[in-house]
Structures are given as C-alpha cells and as structure tokens.
Amino acid sequence: MLSKYETVIGLEVHVQLTTATKIFCGCSTRFGAPPNSQTCPVCLALPGALPVLNGKAVDFAILAGLATHCRIAPRSIFARKNYFYPDLPKGYQISQYELPICEHGHLDISLEGGATKRIGITRIHMEEDAGKSMHGETPETSASSFVDLNRAGTPLLEIVSEPDMRSPEEAIAYLKKLHQIVVYLGVCDGNLEQGSFRCDANVSVRPRGQEAFGTRAEIKNINSFRFIKQAIEYEVERQIELVENGEKVVQETRLFDPATGVTRSMRGKEDAHDYRYFPDPDLVPLVVDEAWIARMREQMPELPEARRARFVRDYGIPEYDAEVLTAERALADYYDACVKLHGGGKVCANWVMGEVIRGLNEQGIGIAECPVRPQMLAGMLQRIDDGTISGKIAKTVFDEMWRSGRDADTIIAEKGLKQVTDTGAIEAIIDEILAANPGQVEEYRAGKEKVFGFFVGQVMKASKGKANPAAVNDLLKKKLAGG
Amino acid sequence: MKISLEQVRKVATLARLALPEEELHTLTGQMDAILSYVDKLDELDVADIVPTAHAVPVENALRADEECPSIGLDKALANAPTAVNGCFRVPRVIE
Ligand SMILES: [Zn+2]
C-alpha cells in the first residue's frame, strides 16, 4: 500500500534565539520566571509603546542564514500578521512576509547507506513569539484561560524548508542536522522540551509518478523528534486511507496527540487563516550590507562537518570516533580541550568515548556538568605517560576525580597510588610469589609458558596494582629463567 | 463596485466586529467610495518606483541586547479586568 504512494514533507521550524533580551524591548528572555514578571509597555502592547529591533537577533539570523547557505537579503522589512488570540496582546504578530532576511538556502542530509540528499530552504524570517495560555483544570477555573506574557516578544527564526523530504526518516535527518547547526552556532539552546526548537510539518501524499502535489495537512507544534516521526507516519496512513476510499484530503491544521499517537483536526481555525499581512509602520527597513555579513562570517564558529574532518585529519582518530565526538558541540569542545592540553588524539578519544560518556549516561547528566574537567583528564593522562600510574590504576584515579572533583596528582599522592618502579621492591614481591608457588614454577620451567600470566597476576595483586607492569614482566622472566 | 457586501462581511468577521445588516450596507458604500478615490493613484506611472515600506527614509534603528528592568507585576496587571496568580484571566479559549 505504502509503495503505491509517495510522501511529500515540508517542515517549518521555529528556533528560539539565545539573546538576553526580547526582540523589540529590553525585557529578559530567561525561562521559568514568575508569570508576567518579564514584561513592559512594548511586549504588553500598551498604547503608544514602540518596538525597537534587537541588533543581536539580526546577527543570529545572519549566522543561521550563512550556515544554511542562504542568500542574505540586502534589505528586509517587518510585517504585521493579524489574528486574535489572548496570548497575542497587540492583535498582530510582528513577523516578516514579503522580504524575509534569508532566502534560497539548503542543507545536505545523510541518508542510510551513506548517500546524501540536498534539502532546499525556502526562507528564514525573524519574528516575535506569542505569550503562553494555560487552561483552567478545576471546576472553579474551567471556564477560564490564564495568560502569561513573559514569552511574548521572544525572538524567533522561522526556517521554512522546500517540500523536499520523502519519508519520516528524511524529515528527522533534516531536523537533527538543523538542530545541530543552530546549537553549534550558539543562536539556540536547542531545548526541545522548553520549546526552544519547535516543528510544524506539512504532509501530503500523491500516487507515485504523479507530479502535482496532493492536498497537504499541517501538523502543528510537535516538540520531540520521536513525536515528529510518529505524527508523520500516522498522517501518511490516514491520508492514504482517505485517497484509497475515494475521499478527499482536506487542507487543514491538525494537532498531534502524543498520548494516542493520532492527529486531530483543529476545526474552526481555517477562516482565521486570512492574516492580512502588511508592512509594520512602527519599524524601519533592515539593511544588511556586505560589511555586516563579513563580520558575521568572521564570527562563525566551526560547524560540525568541518570539525569532524579536522579531528580525523589533525588528531588521527577514525571517522566513527569523530562522528560521536562532534554530535554535540559541548562534547566536541570538551574533547578538543583535552587534546589541546594532552596531545594524544586517540587516547583522549578513548577516554572521552569510554569513561566520560559512560559516567554521564549513568548519572543522566550532560557534558557541561561533567565533574572531570578537560584539564583534570589531561593531567591524569600525563601521569600515565610519565609512568607515575599504570593504565589500570588510572581507572581508579578517574573514578575518584569524578567523585571528589579533585585533580589526579592530589588523588595519587593522597591514596598512595604511585606506581612502584623500584626494581628492588618488585623483586622482593616476585621472590615471595615464586617461593609460595613451587608447583607452578616447575610447570613453567617444564615449558608450560601459560603459567607466566598467573605470576604476573599474583605480583600485581600483591602490589595492589601499583607495580609497573613492564618492570614486572622483565624481572619475572629473568627470575624464572635464572632459577 | 470596488468592494462587495460579502468582502465587507468577511473583513468585519476577521476584525471580530458584529455589525447589523444595514450598517454593513452603509459601510460597503463608504468603503467603495474610499477605494475609488484611492484609484486616482492609477493615473500615475509608478513602473520605476520601488515600493516604500516606510514613510521616512531611515534604516536600521537597532538596540543593543541589553536588559532593561521590567515594569513589575502590579503595573503589568493594573489594567487587567481580572488576574489570578499573576496571570491575566480571560474566557476559556479552547474547548
Ligand atoms: Zn518588554
């Protein structure tokens, strides 16, 4: 059934910018403040208040445009999008319509099997967010909604793709890539749960081979990658069933319900879709010249693809390691810092991908909260290099750094973990072990070389892991041979 | 006619104006007269003129991303007919 039809998906992503203040006033954008405590005459829409554009929001829009290969408009304007809702105090949202700041971009996504596909980006425009409505849940409040305008006026980018995706998997690949880029750029904190990265999906189906698009439904405000996949899958099935039964797909807005996994029509919203955009007379045109674009190009951080390539080239690690280490900007920064301090690309990769990531997963925390900072990890690795501790003891030191937040040298000194390289001390231990195990000594001398491992284990155990393994090997061989 | 009764009715609905039937007729006549007057502009050749988005020749009025104190909850809610727990209370907006 699915193969008879082709799915067509276009995505609109709202990215909340990490500016300290709102897009048209100086109110803070901090999340989680008491309701309406971050408001002023501009974002409350009090009469006579005038908006003034936040220059940093423009910087961020340019950065996002450059990173997605868009053309930055030399001149763009703001428009009013008119509709009524209690969390939109002005009765219109300031957005961009005819002349958005960025157009004609693209992102290349990786598909399963290693192929890449180019997804077009139609436009990126700047706009303000609305406030938040909450709906009464008790008998006394069920007739009311409650409005918090702290979020009203928070700067957003709306990034609109071409209808270029043909499966939920491609849609997810595009979203993850876009998410990674805006977080790398530092223009968005990427927090899906708090709504910093929200997605609307336009979904339609058409018989394979047909050129004209089918009628599309818009699924609103889905806030996790998993839900987006579920919502699209459900919507495709629903539309195919309609077409198969000779019914028509209606162009409408639908809401995804994560609890049931279905999309529901938001009836009654259709006639409100006449937004009567017109240029906002309160805001002057925005002119971005070449100098401004050049300044932003200079500030552009290294993006994931470039970083992955550099890690492979300069640090000599495999593609796979580079992929894992660059998935998140903070993790890549952490690894980069470790290598810059210590120098060993592969050994740092092993520790970060091993002990560090395991510890983070166990505690369910992010790399930003990792108690072992790069200088601590690098410091410990130096103590392996200079023979102070063995690789085995290093695991103990690492765990202790994680637990206590203290550096390797302090822990090694305090716990007496310094490796024993003094041959006299090691020889004494070996003599004891050999004397205690005459049977095994006989076996070894009779040619059963496997017993050698037994002796190494015994010596290491007796030294509590502190004996230098190379020294133990050498001395053991001599003693066993010499008799 | 530059505008129909139906168009006026739609615009009224979008603006959340409940207008009596006879007023819709009056307004249709008035809006038609206004639009006909604006039509005078068609007499000019504007082929080479870039559309203006703003009346004064000013560009890039920008502010730095610096926080200003908000006005405080009491003032923010001063004009609210009802407020509960720091929120504006309005008639329920979803079913
Ligand atoms: Zn404000």
Side-chain angles (χ1 to χ4, degrees), chain A residues 22 25-27 38-40 42-43:
Chain A
K22 295 185 179 181
C25 64
C27 290
Q38 291 168 179
T39 56
C40 74
V42 173
C43 54

Side-chain angles (χ1 to χ4, degrees), chain A residues 102-352:
Chain A
C102 313
E103 282 183 291
H104 311 302
H106 65 260
L107 270 191
D108 290 335
I109 58 169
S110 312
L111 305 177
E112 222 159 291
T116 60
K117 176 171 175 175
R118 178 156 295 184
I119 307 295
I121 289 178
T122 318
R123 55 187 274 149
I124 301 178
H125 66 252
M126 307 175 69
E127 62 184 26
E128 59 178 344
D129 205 348
K132 202 170 111 194
S133 308
M134 291 151 285
H135 311 291
E137 277 161 3
T138 66
E140 303 83 65
T141 60
S142 62
S144 305
S145 291
F146 301 88
V147 180
D148 170 9
L149 296 176
N150 281 349
R151 201 180 62 188
T154 298
L156 301 176
L157 296 182
E158 180 171 328
I159 303 175
V160 183
S161 86
E162 291 289 310
D164 284 348
M165 286 148 281
R166 294 289 173 272
S167 69
E169 289 74 22
E170 288 184 15
I172 299 299
Y174 167 82
L175 287 170
K176 287 195 167 158
K177 182 88 182 252
L178 189 60
H179 182 265
Q180 194 187 35
I181 286 176
V182 294
V183 172
Y184 259 78
L185 290 173
V187 305
C188 176
D189 68 16
N191 191 320
L192 280 86
E193 275 160 37
Q194 292 176 3
S196 304
F197 189 92
R198 313 194 282 265
C199 174
D200 301 339
N202 289 307
V203 179
S204 65
V205 298
R206 62 180 171 192
R208 219 164 267 282
Q210 176 186 308
E211 207 168 310
F213 291 131
T215 307
R216 65 167 203 261
E218 184 182 9
I219 315 169
K220 276 276 178 205
N221 260 332
I222 336 172
N223 70 349
S224 92
F225 292 132
R226 191 162 54 92
F227 292 158
I228 289 160
K229 187 158 184 280
Q230 281 178 16
I232 295 173
E233 279 167 355
Y234 174 85
E235 188 55 25
V236 168
E237 261 181 56
R238 187 187 71 86
Q239 291 186 13
I240 290 177
E241 203 173 296
L242 284 175
V243 177
E244 284 284 313
N245 294 338
E247 292 170 65
K248 274 204 160 60
V249 176
V250 188
Q251 181 162 348
E252 61 180 354
T253 305
R254 299 179 69 87
L255 262 190
F256 177 69
D257 180 358
T260 55
V262 307
T263 63
R264 280 183 293 112
S265 176
M266 289 172 72
R267 268 178 233 295
K269 269 223 123 187
E270 281 75 46
D271 68 331
H273 268 253
D274 189 342
Y275 292 127
R276 295 148 295 146
Y277 286 94
F278 63 88
D280 190 330
D282 288 344
L283 288 153
V284 298
L286 175 62
V287 172
V288 179
D289 58 11
E290 283 303 323
W292 194 345
I293 296 173
R295 212 159 61 236
M296 289 303 109
R297 258 189 224 287
E298 260 168 49
Q299 284 182 26
M300 177 94 76
E302 190 181 33
L303 291 175
E305 269 161 54
R307 203 161 211 196
R308 202 161 61 225
R310 178 168 63 84
F311 284 178
V312 170
R313 187 185 65 234
D314 294 356
Y315 296 165
I317 60 172
E319 276 287 343
Y320 172 80
D321 292 16
E323 178 92 41
V324 172
L325 292 166
T326 54
E328 220 188 298
R329 180 178 172 181
L331 184 69
D333 287 344
Y334 182 97
Y335 168 70
D336 221 348
C338 291
V339 181
K340 287 195 169 115
L341 289 162
H342 175 262
K346 184 58 186 161
V347 70
C348 287
N350 290 347
W351 278 86
V352 173

Side-chain angles (χ1 to χ4, degrees), chain A residues 217 374 395 428 470:
Chain A
K395 295 245 195 304

Side-chain angles (χ1 to χ4, degrees), chain B residues 4-85:
Chain B
S4 70
L5 178 65
E6 277 324 299
Q7 283 172 305
V8 174
R9 203 190 300 280
K10 187 180 176 203
V11 172
T13 307
L14 288 170
R16 301 293 187 270
L17 295 173
L19 298 172
E21 200 60 22
E22 75 261 23
E23 202 169 335
L24 282 172
H25 281 96
T26 314
L27 283 168
T28 308
Q30 290 177 347
M31 288 165 89
D32 188 57
I34 293 165
L35 290 170
S36 304
Y37 176 67
V38 172
D39 263 0
K40 247 187 167 345
L41 291 173
D42 285 350
E43 291 164 18
L44 296 171
D45 178 9
V46 293
D48 293 328
I49 297 173
V50 184
T52 341
H54 204 267
V56 286
V58 180
E59 295 159 347
N60 293 5
L62 300 170
R63 39 173 281 272
D65 186 27
E66 282 160 14
E67 199 175 325
C68 302
S70 293
I71 58 171
L73 208 52
D74 290 345
K75 279 189 184 157
L77 298 175
N79 295 321
T82 52
V84 177
N85 295 332

